[in-house]
Amino acid sequence: MKIFKNKIQFRALKERIKDYDIKRIVIITGAGISAESGINTFRDNNGLWDNHSVYEVARPEAIELTPEIFFKFQNERAIDMKNKVPNKAHKKLSKLEEKYHVNIITQNIDNLHEKAGSNNIIHIHGTNSEYKCTHCTNKGIYQDNIYGEECLECNKGLLRPNVVLFKEQVYDLYPSLDMIEKADLFIQIGTSGTVYPVAGFPEYTKALKINISLKEPDNEHYFDFNFKGKATKLVSELIEILLKK
Ligand code: OAD
């Protein structure tokens, strides 16, 4: 039934974009796009938030209250992600740049879009390929188990991942909104659409909106087309249509 519905929708999409001028594409990605590369999502069954306490591993207070648990989790995750490789969905997305102006705004802290060859990427929730100091402006490329070490620049802070913890400000919000406003096509892939501000981004554009995910996202109502299934398969089909247009 799901496959059947996707087929009908792809046909409708082809019709819809036949005479539709597409120059600028904004792509929002979430944990679902990296799931088939072996990186756990957050809110699916057995996801990260089923097995870890947000309070201990994802809040700024955890650095003081439960530092051992926080840094162990963050180091293990960064080492694990470093060794992952992009899947077909990441790779196909990078091909879109041959024909369109593409901006990717990812909530993911992995670097699989970079590894797949995409160029214009905003990590709105940061990236764990970088560390930063909790006290001074020292920042750098992650090396195994560096989180939790004392900062050698100021000797006051600790090195933590350059990611957005709960309650912290997202990165590059205004450049993101600017891109979204100018987009002709807005594609959201593999997110539950629950975490703001990203979940509200579709509101800031008049672009045609397409969603791809395994389950309906909470912000489903914004979208003109909703495809249900795995990113590797559906993203590939979508990109083929856009490249042939
Ligand atoms: P979630 O775990 O909330 O949602 C991932 C979504 O991906 C799910 O709703 C699934 O439907 C979908 N999915 C899973 N496997 C898929 C596949 N193979 N193909 C397509 N879709 C698939 O992850 P996010 O929405 O990315 O923030 O989470 C948003 C933010 O919440 C994260 O960036 C993180 C977290 O708290 C911070 O840490 C600041």
Side-chain angles (χ1 to χ4, degrees), residues 86-241:
N87 63 48
K88 213 167 155 189
H90 299 103
K91 288 181 194 161
K92 274 281 184 182
L93 283 184
S94 71
K95 298 276 176 256
L96 263 189
E97 291 180 18
E98 291 167 9
K99 186 162 176 174
Y100 301 99
H101 183 281
V102 180
N103 287 106
I104 296 180
I105 303 169
T106 186
Q107 298 169 92
N108 298 341
I109 60 172
D110 65 53
N111 59 1
L112 296 183
H113 287 301
E114 285 87 344
K115 282 186 183 165
S118 286
N119 287 299
N120 307 316
I121 306 159
I122 287 184
H123 280 274
I124 196 152
H125 291 167
T127 163
N128 67 1
S129 350
E130 276 175 14
Y131 67 78
K132 67 176 184 183
C133 174
T134 54
H135 183 77
C136 72
T137 55
N138 182 19
K139 247 189 209 176
I141 303 291
Y142 179 73
Q143 291 147 39
D144 288 1
N145 295 313
I146 206 170
Y147 299 146
E149 283 186 12
E150 202 177 282
C151 173
L152 298 178
E153 297 283 322
C154 66
N155 296 317
K156 286 184 181 148
L158 297 173
L159 303 182
R160 56 160 278 187
N162 190 12
V163 300
V164 173
L165 300 172
F166 278 85
K167 298 189 287 188
E168 291 181 332
Q169 288 292 321
V170 297
Y171 295 128
D172 296 325
L173 178 61
Y174 291 105
S176 299
L177 291 175
D178 193 43
M179 288 163 195
I180 288 164
E181 198 187 342
K182 291 183 183 141
D184 305 303
L185 186 60
F186 180 96
I187 306 172
Q188 176 178 279
I189 305 165
T191 174
S192 52
T194 48
V195 176
Y196 283 79
V198 178
F201 279 176
E203 228 176 285
Y204 294 85
T205 180
K206 292 195 167 68
L208 185 71
K209 300 177 193 66
I210 300 172
N211 177 70
I212 291 178
S213 58
L214 217 48
K215 277 187 263 164
E216 299 85 1
D218 282 7
N219 64 355
E220 186 188 18
H221 56 279
Y222 287 121
F223 290 86
D224 301 290
F225 292 89
N226 274 291
F227 294 95
K228 237 170 120 178
K230 290 194 172 178
T232 45
K233 183 170 187 309
L234 293 176
V235 171
S236 299
E237 279 187 64
L238 174 64
I239 302 307
E240 282 304 315
I241 290 171

Side-chain angles (χ1 to χ4, degrees), residues 46-65:
N46 210 24
L48 272 187
W49 296 155
D50 275 350
N51 300 316
H52 297 275
S53 149
V54 171
Y55 289 92
E56 291 174 344
V57 301
R59 291 194 182 238
E61 296 90 325
I63 296 174
E64 292 212 349
L65 298 176

Side-chain angles (χ1 to χ4, degrees), residues 15-96:
E15 263 316 294
R16 180 82 182 264
I17 63 173
K18 238 188 344 199
D19 304 314
Y20 190 82
D21 191 22
I22 302 173
K23 289 195 179 72
R24 305 177 79 90
I25 304 181
V26 166
I27 298 164
I28 307 293
T29 61
I33 195 168
S34 296
E36 290 166 84
S37 289
I39 298 176
N40 260 355
T41 61
F42 296 92
R43 296 175 183 80
D44 290 310
N45 273 346
N46 210 24
L48 272 187
W49 296 155
D50 275 350
N51 300 316
H52 297 275
S53 149
V54 171
Y55 289 92
E56 291 174 344
V57 301
R59 291 194 182 238
E61 296 90 325
I63 296 174
E64 292 212 349
L65 298 176
T66 51
E68 274 174 24
I69 298 172
F70 177 85
F71 289 119
K72 181 171 181 285
F73 170 84
Q74 297 291 351
N75 275 314
E76 282 175 1
R77 205 148 176 252
I79 292 167
D80 181 50
M81 282 187 185
K82 213 172 78 172
N83 296 319
K84 300 295 187 203
V85 292
N87 63 48
K88 213 167 155 189
H90 299 103
K91 288 181 194 161
K92 274 281 184 182
L93 283 184
S94 71
K95 298 276 176 256
L96 263 189

